């Protein structure tokens, strides 16, 4: 009754990434792998990600760990600084506030230190920590290594796991 999310069967992939070249690379790759009936959208901040996750059904969220709190205004500085844990806030929101959204982290960072961590962790260590905290809809941490690279194979495996790869 109070659910604002539209009830349609269209699948949506949400890319949460504030670095434009990386965002463009991910979006282009997704367009080459997903069928035309899957909508791909992108946002650049924690607040925009939560707004999308709150108002529509998202099939998969591809989350960068370091994102600003708010979108940067086009004509002035602002938006907040990227946070090493902004992506973790998105993941926790997905875990607690959505029913059907899967998530995966796609990050360039070699190591992480969330506020609650006692030491820095590599992507594999971060994945182990997040797997303990989040439910089975969290599908892992992928290390982004540039426009082309092993991240693409890893992301395809995630897309296949939740039946999003186009039959081409």
């Amino acid at each position: 009754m109070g659910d604002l999310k539209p009830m349609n069967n269209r699948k949506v992939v949400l890319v949460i990434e504030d670095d434009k070249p990386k965002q463009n690379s991910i979006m282009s790759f997704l367009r080459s792998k997903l069928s035309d009936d899957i909508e791909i959208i992108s946002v650049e901040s924690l607040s925009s990600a939560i707004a999308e996750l709150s108002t529509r059904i998202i099939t998969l969220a591809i989350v960068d760990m370091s994102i600003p709190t708010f979108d940067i205004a086009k004509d002035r500085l602002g938006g907040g600084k990227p946070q090493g844990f902004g992506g973790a806030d998105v993941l926790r929101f997905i875990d607690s506030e959505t029913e059907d959204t899967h998530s995966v982290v796609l990050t360039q960072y070699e190591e992480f230190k969330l506020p609650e961590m006692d030491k820095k962790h590599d992507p594999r260590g971060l994945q182990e920590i997040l797997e303990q905290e989040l439910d089975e809809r969290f599908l892992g941490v992928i290390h982004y290594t540039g426009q082309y690279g092993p991240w693409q194979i890893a992301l395809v495996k995630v897309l296949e796991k939740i039946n999003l790869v186009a039959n081409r």
Side-chain angles (χ1 to χ4, degrees):
M1 187 163 71
D3 189 7
L4 298 174
K5 296 179 183 181
M7 300 308 283
N8 65 25
N9 293 330
R10 186 164 192 194
K11 294 182 178 181
V12 179
V13 174
L14 173 64
V15 177
I16 305 162
E17 175 59 62
D18 64 317
D19 179 272
K20 278 294 188 193
K22 182 179 167 194
Q23 182 189 85
N24 292 339
S25 173
I26 296 165
M27 298 289 284
S28 176
F29 180 73
L30 289 171
R31 283 188 202 100
S32 75
K33 296 296 177 190
L34 301 177
S35 61
D36 294 337
D37 63 332
I38 297 174
E39 185 178 0
I40 307 166
I41 57 175
S42 64
V43 296
E44 299 179 5
S45 71
L46 173 62
S47 62
S48 293
I50 288 177
E52 289 294 335
L53 289 159
S54 299
T55 57
R56 60 193 314 172
I57 296 170
I58 304 293
T59 308
L60 174 66
I62 299 172
V63 182
D64 183 34
M65 287 302 287
S66 177
I67 55 173
T69 306
F70 302 100
D71 289 326
I72 296 171
K74 302 287 185 233
D75 58 344
R76 60 187 165 86
L77 296 175
K81 294 181 178 168
Q83 304 176 23
F85 54 88
D89 291 339
V90 172
L91 294 168
R92 290 178 183 124
F93 183 87
I94 290 168
D95 190 61
S96 66
E97 304 297 325
T98 71
E99 294 179 18
D100 303 312
T101 302
H102 290 84
S103 62
V104 64
V105 170
L106 183 57
T107 183
Q108 289 177 261
Y109 285 139
E110 301 281 337
E111 52 183 27
F112 305 87
K113 183 161 186 334
L114 300 179
E116 63 274 14
M117 291 179 176
D118 55 343
K119 61 181 176 136
K120 291 184 178 182
H121 293 274
D122 64 8
R124 181 75 202 134
L126 176 66
Q127 179 169 319
E128 290 171 4
I129 289 166
L130 292 173
E131 284 173 343
Q132 291 173 12
E133 180 181 341
L134 306 172
D135 68 23
E136 69 282 349
R137 294 175 296 139
F138 172 68
L139 302 175
V141 175
I142 299 172
H143 187 226
Y144 180 87
T145 53
Q147 186 172 359
Y148 305 102
W151 67 269
Q152 293 178 326
I153 296 166
L155 187 54
V156 166
K157 288 180 183 174
V158 167
L159 298 172
E160 288 172 344
K161 185 172 186 172
I162 56 175
N163 300 315
L164 288 180
V165 174
N167 297 325
R168 295 186 181 186

